[in-house]
Each structure stands twice: as structure tokens, then as C-alpha cells.
Amino acid sequence: MLSSGLDLEYWLVNHPTIRNFSWTPGKTLGSSPHFLFFTILSYLFSTFILPHRIISSSISPQFIKTISALHNIFLLLLSFTMALGCLLSTLYHAPHLHWIVCFPPHTKPTGPLFFWAYIFYLSKILEFADTFLIILSKSIQRLTFLHVYHHSTVVIMCYIWLQTSQTLFPAVLFTNASVHVLMYAYYLSCALGVRPRWKKIVTNVQILQFYSSFLVLAVMLYYHFTGSGCSGVWGWTFNVVFYASLLVLFVDFHKKSYGASSKKNNKLAVKPSKTFFYSNHTHK
Ligand SMILES: CC(C)(COP(=O)(O)OP(=O)(O)OC[C@H]1O[C@@H](n2cnc3c(N)ncnc32)[C@H](O)[C@@H]1OP(=O)(O)O)[C@@H](O)C(=O)NCCC(=O)NCCSC(=O)CC(=O)O
């Protein structure tokens, strides 16, 4: 027990639902490839095909702001809980230090760590609402390729974690959920009408997380090739390609949002020009 008032170990690690969790393909909600396929297809369909103007004109801006604030509060708290749950599950259930960087081959996707991987997977589906909020708030020019690519692909990454009992997902989960606490605090503040001055810090921390994931990959490869192998090593290659592409997109976003040319654009009050998804987006 970590504190006498709130038994975190029980509620985040040892509760029977968490302890007895098992990812069973075909049985666990969301575990079939069809579910994954149709979820992503529905997301892309609603993003590109639905008549957004008609829908958004029938909803009041105040209502959208309220929904946006509630959504951001929920995801901020959920991200914090997932980071803590993943950290405590690792501390209490890792059989030895070596296990954290290399699950033995044929590790079963059961128990507290995989429970948090599952919640993380579901949370990425909930994050689709970010896109709908951008669309409904008539800020379609903010809908970048980076945003839609990230939201539609990250769900596949989480699915692979669970399907392949992928080594090292705890490090990525913990880092990403922690970064998302900061990111949703930023979006919450925006939704409440206060644009934080620390936007650039959020972007820098996101970029740092992509770099750190490569470091973790190198450690895993070392264990994989010097020992008897690590579980889900091929799934991890999906992570590498995905995180490398995000790194490139985020560095580009950083340049456009905070670089010298963006400052010049802001001074001249140039309107964002239309490119694919209106991606020439300047920092406010
Ligand atoms: C600082 C960032 C977090 C966000 O930068 P942006 O340029 O997108 O944000 P912004 O300054 O335009 O302000 C956000 C606008 O969206 C509204 N808004 C409110 N809630 C939102 C939500 N949950 N998701 C998206 N937008 C939201 C705000 O009210 C504001 O609208 P208004 O202007 O009308 O007031 C940045 O680092 C970043 O991630 N940029 C990439 C774009 C992106 O989609 N990121 C999230 C997914 S990628 C990701 O998540 C990577 C990771 O894993 O870390």
C-alpha cells in the first residue's frame, strides 16, 4: 500500500479486473483485426466524407467549447492514471530488471501491464474525438496531415503491442501518457480561452519522446541479439518506422510553428495558405 487514504497498489495493480486481465483475440472487445479495420475506416470516413459544415453550423460554439473542455479534462486524468498504472504495474510485477527491456519469447498478454496497454489502446480510439472537435469548432485549417496520420496509425501500434506481447511497450506507454498529461493541459487551457505561452515546450517534449524511443530500441536490440530473444521484436519495428516518421513530421511542425519564417509570417499577418490539409499552419 502506497498511502493509507488511497490504496493505489490495489486500484491500479491488484484489483481483480486488472490482475486477471487477459487479451484474448476474438473475445476481448476490440481484439479482432476487423474491429481495428472498421474503426480506422469509420474515423477516416467521418473526417473526410461527412458534411462538416452542415453539422457544425447546427451546434453552438459554446457547446463545443464545453465538450472540448470536458474531453480534455478526461484525457488529462486518464493519461495520468495510465502513466501511474503502468509504472506501478512494472514496479510490482516485473520479475527482474532485465524483463523490463526484454519480455521472454512467448510471453502471454495477461496481467496488469497488459491491462494498461489495453486501456491505452482504447484511449487512442477516444482520441479520435480530438479530430471531431477541430472539425466542429470550424478550425478545419488546423487539421494537418500530421494529426490525421498520427491518430489513425497509433491505434495500429497499440493493437500490435497486445497481439505480439511486445517488449518495451511499457517504456513507450509511460512516456507517451506522461507527455499527453502536458498536451491535454495545453488543449484544456486553449478550450478555456487561455492560450498558454508554453506551447513550444509541449512540442519540444514530444520531440524528445521520439528520440528517447530510439534509445530504448537500441537497448532492446542488444538484449534480443545477445540473449535468447525478446517477445514481439517484429512489432517493435513498426514502432520504429512510425516514430521515425512522426519525428520528421514534428521537426517540420516545429520549424513552421516556431522558426524564423513563422515569426515573419506572424508579423505580416499572412493567412495560412491552403496545402494538403491546410498544412502551412502558423503559430499564434
Ligand atoms: C502544442 C501541440 C500539442 C498542439 O499544437 P497545435 O498547433 O495543434 O495546437 P493549437 O495551438 O493550434 O491550438 C489548439 C486548438 O485546438 C483546440 N482544441 C481544443 N482541444 C483540442 C484537442 N483535444 N485536440 C485538438 N485541438 C483541440 C484549441 O481550442 C485550439 O483552437 P483555437 O485556436 O480555435 O482556440 C503541438 O506540439 C502538436 O502536437 N502539434 C501537432 C498537431 C497535433 O494534432 N498534435 C496532437 C496529436 S500528435 C501526438 O499526440 C503525438 C504524441 O504522441 O505526443
Side-chain angles (χ1 to χ4, degrees):
M1 187 189 287
L2 290 177
S3 84
S4 50
L6 182 63
D7 187 350
L8 287 178
E9 189 187 338
Y10 176 74
W11 289 109
L12 298 179
V13 183
N14 285 330
H15 187 281
T17 310
I18 299 176
R19 216 185 159 83
N20 301 327
F21 173 79
S22 173
W23 168 265
T24 314
K27 277 195 178 164
T28 310
L29 175 71
S31 62
S32 73
H34 299 96
F35 174 91
L36 184 69
F37 179 76
F38 284 110
T39 302
I40 295 172
L41 203 67
S42 310
Y43 167 70
L44 295 174
F45 178 83
S46 342
T47 302
F48 296 114
I49 314 285
L50 286 186
H52 302 132
R53 272 192 201 159
I54 299 171
I55 299 172
S56 61
S57 59
S58 61
I59 305 174
S60 85
Q62 194 48 46
F63 180 72
I64 293 166
K65 280 203 164 174
T66 309
I67 296 290
S68 185
L70 291 174
H71 168 76
N72 291 318
I73 291 175
F74 184 76
L75 273 166
L76 190 160
L77 295 176
L78 182 63
S79 300
F80 179 76
T81 310
M82 290 187 297
L84 194 61
C86 175
L87 181 70
L88 294 181
S89 302
T90 307
L91 291 178
Y92 290 113
H93 282 276
H96 43 75
L97 204 63
H98 176 253
W99 187 86
I100 298 172
V101 280
C102 184
F103 296 166
H106 313 300
T107 294
K108 288 200 169 75
T110 58
L113 254 181
F114 285 94
F115 170 83
W116 290 111
Y118 179 60
I119 299 297
F120 191 75
Y121 167 57
L122 297 181
S123 80
K124 294 299 167 193
I125 297 172
L126 184 63
E127 284 184 14
F128 288 170
D130 294 343
T131 313
F132 307 137
L133 285 171
I134 293 175
I135 293 170
L136 291 178
S137 61
K138 302 191 187 87
S139 303
I140 192 100
Q141 73 278 8
R142 295 197 178 281
L143 202 59
T144 56
F145 172 76
L146 187 169
H147 178 91
V148 179
Y149 169 69
H150 169 271
H151 277 55
S152 48
T153 313
V154 75
V155 191
I156 304 174
M157 181 187 82
C158 298
Y159 181 84
I160 293 174
W161 287 1
L162 288 151
Q163 268 307 96
T164 65
S165 296
Q166 193 189 302
T167 293
L168 284 180
F169 81 74
V172 177
L173 194 165
F174 174 74
T175 315
N176 188 252
S178 305
V179 170
H180 276 207
V181 172
L182 191 65
M183 190 184 88
Y184 282 106
Y186 171 81
Y187 280 136
L188 174 62
S189 183
C190 286
L192 295 174
V194 181
R195 196 168 280 274
R197 289 168 161 264
W198 38 271
K199 174 175 177 175
K200 191 175 173 181
I201 296 178
V202 184
T203 311
N204 287 342
V205 172
Q206 285 171 302
I207 291 176
L208 200 67
Q209 93 177 298
F210 302 132
Y211 279 120
S212 72
S213 69
F214 295 118
L215 190 75
V216 177
L217 165 79
V219 177
M220 192 221 69
L221 282 188
Y222 171 78
Y223 277 104
H224 182 73
F225 290 113
T226 57
S228 53
C230 307
S231 171
V233 71
W234 300 119
W236 181 251
T237 55
F238 183 92
N239 274 33
V240 179
V241 175
F242 179 48
Y243 271 40
S245 59
L246 281 182
L247 181 60
V248 171
L249 289 167
F250 263 85
V251 168
D252 180 59
F253 173 87
H254 194 286
K255 241 191 257 165
K256 284 180 179 153
S257 301
Y258 317 110
S261 62
S262 121
K263 281 178 193 151
K264 218 166 139 194
N265 279 350
N266 285 340
K267 272 190 195 150
L268 296 170
V270 172
K271 281 186 186 165
S273 61
K274 275 191 190 180
T275 56
F276 183 49
F277 284 132
Y278 308 85
S279 71
N280 191 5
H281 158 139
T282 53
H283 174 51
K284 275 193 191 175

